[in-house]
Amino acid sequence: MTNNTILEHRFNELYERAELRRTREFTDFLNLNEISILKTALPEGCYTLYGGYEGAERCVAGFGEISDNSDFPISCVLIEPAGIRFAENLSHRDYLGSVLALGITRETLGDIITDGKSAYIFCRKNISDYITDNLSSVRHTTVKCSTVNNVPEILTQPPEAREIIVPSLRTDAVISAIYKLSRKSTAALFAQDKIFINAVQCTKSSKTLSENDIVSVRGYGRFIYCGEERKTKKDRAVITVRVY
């Protein structure tokens, strides 16, 4: 039995249990590949995805009668320097590595949003206290942690839209233009199953993007395709995108 098949069985089991017992069931945080498998295993309406804020990449899947996002067992921990004067410039990897070093597994952690010297990390509610009680440093910076209700809205807003010129609206053409990749390099990303559109794995490089599609490229980031604006004199497309 493959890992994908095991996951499909697990998703179906959670859905059936929630339906049978009239309870709410939740997964740990799912990555893009796992969300793609979920969307293949069950039709929309059988589950709800939420990662702690609108537009989160890593999400928890909820099954059963979920009234709103507050039903999800997700907490947000703010990690900030104890003394800003001596704080380092820390990366996403620095924060993630320090939290994992506490013995916490990756699937219990969601997105990490950095803000200069601080970071907001989403996690399963049952481990938030453990993080706040035990995380005392990130690299060489002494930190303090607290559980917060919300992330500042400015940190979760989509980036500003910008225009780029592409030869066509094919997914591979847009990805190549945004990340300045050769056609060969972009083709390799598709072959390595690293392209996702709206959290569903995409293997067809010629697929035409639709307005508001969210495209994730593992190792590079993600962007929102906002639509075509106009054509150039050479019949190339001028499109608008929001690149994270």
Side-chain angles (χ1 to χ4, degrees), residues 211-229:
E211 191 171 331
N212 295 321
D213 275 347
I214 300 175
V215 182
S216 299
V217 184
R218 279 189 171 174
Y220 290 89
R222 57 180 173 149
F223 63 89
I224 301 173
Y225 172 71
C226 303
E228 182 180 3
E229 300 298 322

Side-chain angles (χ1 to χ4, degrees), residues 13-116:
E13 178 187 17
L14 289 172
Y15 168 70
E16 291 170 1
R17 184 190 303 168
E19 289 294 301
L20 180 63
R21 299 179 181 177
R22 298 298 178 188
T23 59
R24 293 192 291 262
E25 302 288 338
F26 299 95
T27 65
D28 283 331
F29 283 93
L30 306 176
N31 60 32
L32 283 172
N33 186 60
E34 292 164 338
I35 294 173
S36 181
I37 294 170
L38 170 62
K39 290 188 172 185
T40 301
L42 292 169
E44 288 187 20
C46 294
Y47 57 85
T48 304
L49 290 168
Y50 184 61
Y53 68 99
E54 195 68 32
E57 186 166 290
R58 294 177 64 85
C59 292
V60 170
F63 305 87
E65 298 181 3
I66 297 172
S67 56
D68 57 45
N69 293 333
S70 65
D71 290 335
F72 280 81
I74 297 174
S75 290
C76 182
V77 174
L78 168 61
I79 306 171
E80 52 189 341
I84 192 66
R85 180 180 175 185
F86 303 104
E88 303 167 271
N89 289 317
L90 300 170
S91 67
H92 178 284
R93 181 176 294 182
D94 294 327
Y95 290 106
L96 177 60
S98 295
V99 174
L100 293 179
L102 298 176
I104 291 172
T105 56
R106 185 65 178 101
E107 58 265 24
T108 61
L109 303 174
D111 288 359
I112 299 174
I113 302 175
T114 58
D115 175 23

